[in-house]
Amino acid sequence: MRLSPQDPSSYSNSHELIVYHVDLDWAVNFEKSTLSGSATLHFRTVRNNVEEIFLDTSELKITSVAALSSAGEIQLNWDVGAHIENIGSKLTIYLPTKTTGELTISVKYETDPKASALQWLTAQQTCGKQYPYLFSQCQAIHARSIVPCQDTPAVKFTYNATLRHPSYVTGLMSAVRKSSEPGLSKFEQKIAIPSYLLAIVVGALVEKPIGPISSVWAEQEQIDESAEEFSQTADFIAKAEEICGPYVWGRYDLLVMPPSFPFGGMENPCLTFVTPTLLAGDKSLATVVAHEIAHSWTGNLVTNRNFEHFWLNEGFTVFVEGKIVGRLFGDAARDFHALHGLSELTDCIKTQLADTPELTKLVVDLSECSPDDAFSTVPYMKGSTFLRYLEDLFGGPEKFEPFFRAYLEKFKFQSVLTDDFKKALYEWFRENPNNDVLLGRIDWDRWLFGEGMPPVIPNFNRTLLVSCQNHCLLWAEQELDVIRASTLLSESLSTVQIIEFLAQLLAKKTIKDLNAEKIDLLEKTYSIQGTKNAEIRFRLVRLYIRAKMMEKMNAILSFLNSNFRMKFVRPIYKELAGWREAKPIAVENFQKVKDQMMSVCAYGVSKDLDI
Ligand code: BES
Ligand code: ZN
């Protein structure tokens, strides 16, 4: 079912009228776990004589809907349709007269304590254990659970917000803070954003400057560690500007989230949210920040028009992320990063998407599928590989980057479809008739709608990958004595190489004599026993499961309960579900902790556990 012509996941009639500005007035209530107040939506019609407004909502308690004008306030008729799982309900507002031009609607409402975009943490669940905490995650279609809106990335609006909260906590949003006094903060987002970029956090946060336009925010306990881990932020921004053009959002702050944040990072404008699982101590996972910075152009300025074209956000962003890595750490590092992404893609297609091959297409059909269910690394890695293929085809960065910048310039502040990109590419490269042959060579149909791995794997520099492959072969195929005696082990691997080596090992169909002794030796050899690097722990845990090491169940559960980042916990639960003796333990553990998870994560894990 396509809810609207523009967007299969939104009820909004954005082909009739669009929101261009929103004023929010929210009171944060930690006792009731609610946001309450009003959203005032400023509309402009895009055709004549509009009679109704359709908005997306999810579990909102609406108390009034009024039209505001210079003549005053007029109460309007409205109704809310049935709640549909993963979609929410349609709010219909009946306009008293056929309307053309501008109109302002104010909705008074309160959120549900279980609003899918919000997580309410008790003081006990925070680092400091003194104050409660609230954060949001709206992407892809959860903004509707905190504000009645046209919850489609086809529509962009500026916003102002007034936030009222207890004076012992700090409130921040995806905007520039204009003023703050105890218990009251005001924000302004002057650049039009899609609804999924609305964000709020309220908690005992402190700030530490890390660059000319950047601070890191975290609870006191993690602030110094965070500032150190993300000290490259200003360099990432500088390189991103070289690649994409000027940074227009004013500030770029980072917020280090509680461990239940379900993603690695979220590109909320002016304030990226990141998982604390990036705090590895050696900056080895900081490329996630480069990724979120890149979204300041790809995604936040040029936005996918609906989530079927999500690769225009994520594939483009991974492509820019790779360029940042390349400019800072060299082309070999850039290509290693891309090859690592391809290992993850192979794994994802084989495991997570084994039963849904249609979701391995670059452009997907979301008429029967929610964006949360379709989420995978495919748009990220197939998308960025496609761009790299095109870059190589047209003669490398020198030829491709000017086009890339022109594309961003052309579509900034807008929302696009894959066809807009394709047309822009043809327009640009057709200027030179020599390019016609190259354009003719692109198999668009296979890239965009073919299933499985990318049709062409670019000729990446494999220098840094080779050692990972050698170490993998050693451990996968040899006995302990041979391994112990191997000269390979005198060569040291970087943290990211260890991660990739473990990923390759896990991708092997068979690992010779995989048992406790071998895994123990492996951990000692690479000095990763008890490591705090979450990417390494994630893969070690999967090795324990592969080896059916019941004696490691405590270590497995302790990792599972240390964070609720979906990338880590979902595959582990899925693998535990396939190990007969472990499944009941996994289910029991999940039941115990699921209320501490964000709802997207709990929903995903219950599917992985088949319950
Ligand atoms: N925008 C995404 C996160 C997201 C996507 C949230 C879809 C909800 C729905 C963010 O930019 C992202 O891609 N994060 C990645 C890290 C990145 C380095 C691949 C993640 O969370 O792992
Ligand atoms: Zn992203």
Side-chain angles (χ1 to χ4, degrees):
M1 178 181 49
R2 295 187 83 79
L3 300 184
S4 80
Q6 297 243 12
D7 188 331
S9 320
S10 171
Y11 284 113
S12 60
N13 51 338
S14 58
H15 54 292
E16 300 194 299
L17 77 177
I18 53 166
V19 171
Y20 65 88
H21 179 79
V22 176
D23 290 305
L24 298 170
D25 189 323
W26 282 344
V28 180
N29 188 323
F30 281 109
E31 281 75 46
K32 290 168 63 190
S33 300
T34 59
L35 294 177
S36 62
S38 64
T40 304
L41 311 176
H42 299 258
F43 290 93
R44 184 178 297 131
T45 62
V46 292
R47 51 152 271 210
N48 293 341
N49 303 320
V50 175
E51 294 177 78
E52 290 167 334
I53 304 174
F54 303 140
L55 296 179
D56 296 296
T57 68
S58 180
E59 320 266 15
L60 297 179
K61 288 196 200 76
I62 296 174
T63 48
S64 82
V65 178
L68 307 186
S69 72
S70 46
E73 209 178 289
I74 310 169
Q75 292 299 316
L76 301 182
N77 292 326
W78 51 277
D79 61 54
V80 176
H83 180 87
I84 296 176
E85 202 197 359
N86 293 329
I87 293 287
S89 27
K90 179 179 185 174
L91 167 64
T92 305
I93 300 171
Y94 302 93
L95 298 176
T97 53
K98 293 186 179 175
T99 304
T100 306
E102 306 234 333
L103 99 144
T104 304
I105 304 282
S106 185
V107 183
K108 293 203 170 75
Y109 68 101
E110 183 175 277
T111 60
D112 189 86
K114 295 215 148 49
S116 62
L118 298 181
Q119 185 160 32
W120 298 87
L121 300 177
T122 62
Q124 253 326 297
Q125 293 170 303
T126 66
C127 271
K129 314 233 174 282
Q130 289 216 43
Y131 303 107
Y133 196 107
L134 161 69
F135 70 82
S136 67
Q137 169 55 44
C138 286
Q139 200 179 13
I141 56 166
H142 300 283
R144 59 192 68 180
S145 73
I146 57 171
V147 63
C149 62
Q150 297 183 312
D151 199 4
T152 168
V155 173
K156 294 187 174 187
F157 53 87
T158 54
Y159 80 87
N160 290 342
T162 300
L163 208 58
R164 303 159 202 281
H165 51 74
S167 54
Y168 50 77
V169 279
T170 300
L172 299 173
M173 294 188 73
S174 52
V176 172
R177 187 163 62 161
K178 297 311 275 186
S179 70
S180 77
E181 47 187 275
L184 183 77
S185 320
K186 296 195 176 187
F187 303 90
E188 178 180 62
Q189 182 48 269
K190 280 204 233 184
I191 298 180
I193 58 159
S195 54
Y196 76 82
L197 292 177
L198 275 173
I200 174 177
V201 59
V202 184
L205 297 170
V206 294
E207 174 182 18
K208 187 164 177 175
I210 52 168
I213 57 163
S214 304
S215 282
V216 63
W217 292 86
E219 284 191 70
Q220 181 65 53
E221 292 74 6
Q222 288 186 316
I223 194 74
D224 290 327
E225 205 187 340
S226 299
E228 188 51 33
E229 198 80 40
F230 304 126
S231 65
Q232 299 153 312
T233 299
D235 298 336
F236 291 155
I237 297 172
K239 294 301 168 196
E241 287 191 291
E242 275 176 38
I243 299 157
C244 298
Y247 181 81
V248 298
W249 301 88
R251 290 215 43 99
Y252 183 84
D253 288 349
L254 283 168
L255 169 70
V256 179
M257 306 292 289
S260 57
F261 185 59
F263 293 95
M266 178 64 214
E267 65 273 25
N268 297 131
C270 308
L271 181 65
T272 281
F273 287 14
V274 291
T275 166
T277 62
L278 301 185
L279 299 172
D282 62 358
K283 307 182 194 189
S284 56
L285 308 179
T287 48
V288 173
V289 172
H291 175 96
E292 305 312 334
I293 287 169
H295 272 304
S296 307
W297 293 266
T298 49
N300 296 7
L301 278 186
V302 181
T303 308
N304 54 211
R305 198 177 299 166
N306 64 48
F307 289 105
E308 296 181 323
H309 299 265
F310 189 44
W311 81 279
L312 297 173
N313 278 16
E314 297 301 343
F316 276 63
T317 297
V318 173
F319 182 67
V320 175
E321 174 194 344
K323 286 182 173 293
I324 297 172
V325 169
R327 277 171 167 74
L328 282 173
F329 310 114
D331 282 342
R334 175 195 181 189
D335 283 9
F336 176 76
H337 194 63
L339 287 163
H340 175 64
L342 284 173
S343 300
E344 297 206 317
L345 179 63
T346 312
D347 182 46
C348 161
I349 291 177
K350 262 201 311 218
T351 58
Q352 184 199 337
L353 301 179
D355 304 325
T356 49
E358 64 286 356
L359 292 179
T360 66
K361 297 177 183 181
L362 194 49
V363 178
V364 288
D365 179 355
L366 296 182
S367 352
E368 307 297 330
C369 180
S370 82
D372 286 338
D373 288 324
F375 183 82
S376 80
T377 195
V378 169
Y380 291 78
M381 284 322 302
K382 209 187 227 189
S384 57
T385 305
F386 185 32
L387 291 171
R388 172 61 181 263
Y389 161 77
L390 293 172
E391 176 167 276
D392 291 351
L393 181 72
F394 291 109
E398 227 174 277
K399 292 280 187 310
F400 198 71
E401 286 184 7
F403 157 68
F404 194 80
R405 267 189 297 277
Y407 163 81
L408 295 174
E409 185 62 29
K410 176 168 180 163
F411 292 112
K412 67 183 180 190
F413 313 127
Q414 299 181 45
S415 302
V416 290
L417 297 173
T418 299
D419 235 30
D420 295 310
F421 165 68
K422 185 174 171 183
K423 282 205 190 94
L425 183 97
Y426 273 79
E427 258 169 43
W428 180 273
F429 285 104
R430 276 233 172 99
E431 288 287 303
N432 179 347
N434 295 334
N435 285 330
D436 280 352
V437 198
L438 302 177
L439 286 164
R441 234 186 259 164
I442 307 167
D443 190 344
W444 289 91
D445 202 51
R446 238 180 117 201
W447 276 105
L448 302 181
F449 305 109
E451 292 179 355
M453 289 297 282
V456 182
I457 302 295
N459 190 10
F460 291 115
N461 176 336
R462 294 180 173 260
T463 319
L464 294 169
L465 193 76
V466 173
S467 323
C468 308
Q469 285 168 327
N470 292 338
H471 284 248
C472 173
L473 282 182
L474 178 70
W475 289 88
E477 294 178 1
Q478 303 300 332
E479 291 170 7
L480 285 188
D481 288 344
V482 180
I483 295 174
R484 278 198 197 94
S486 170
T487 53
L488 248 191
L489 300 183
S490 58
E491 168 203 34
S492 76
L493 298 182
S494 69
T495 307
V496 286
Q497 282 177 309
I498 294 176
I499 296 168
E500 170 60 19
F501 143 61
L502 292 173
Q504 289 187 11
L505 193 57
L506 284 162
K508 287 276 173 211
K509 262 216 184 72
T510 52
I511 303 173
K512 193 179 179 74
D513 303 335
L514 184 67
N515 58 24
E517 199 188 353
K518 190 165 196 177
I519 295 177
D520 194 54
L521 179 66
L522 185 148
E523 290 187 40
K524 290 209 175 90
T525 305
Y526 300 94
S527 307
I528 52 177
Q529 316 102 300
T531 175
K532 68 179 222 160
N533 187 305
E535 294 281 350
I536 296 180
R537 280 184 76 195
F538 170 55
R539 292 175 176 89
L540 284 177
V541 160
R542 293 174 71 189
L543 276 179
Y544 302 157
I545 298 173
R546 254 305 256 283
K548 299 216 166 29
M549 293 171 70
M550 213 24 114
E551 69 272 30
K552 287 283 190 192
M553 193 47 83
N554 280 340
I556 299 172
L557 294 181
S558 126
F559 181 64
L560 271 184
N561 297 343
S562 70
N563 76 86
F564 301 124
R565 180 174 172 190
M566 290 195 282
K567 170 181 170 182
F568 295 146
V569 298
R570 290 197 56 185
I572 295 176
Y573 273 109
K574 197 165 177 169
E575 286 172 11
L576 289 174
W579 172 10
R580 196 156 43 86
E581 290 77 20
K583 184 169 178 184
I585 304 172
V587 172
E588 189 194 320
N589 184 69
F590 171 62
Q591 301 294 5
K592 205 177 73 200
V593 301
K594 71 166 191 270
D595 290 340
Q596 302 165 41
M597 290 178 172
M598 234 191 151
S599 62
V600 258
C601 182
Y603 168 78
V605 172
S606 58
K607 288 206 316 187
D608 298 322
L609 284 173
D610 227 349
I611 49 177

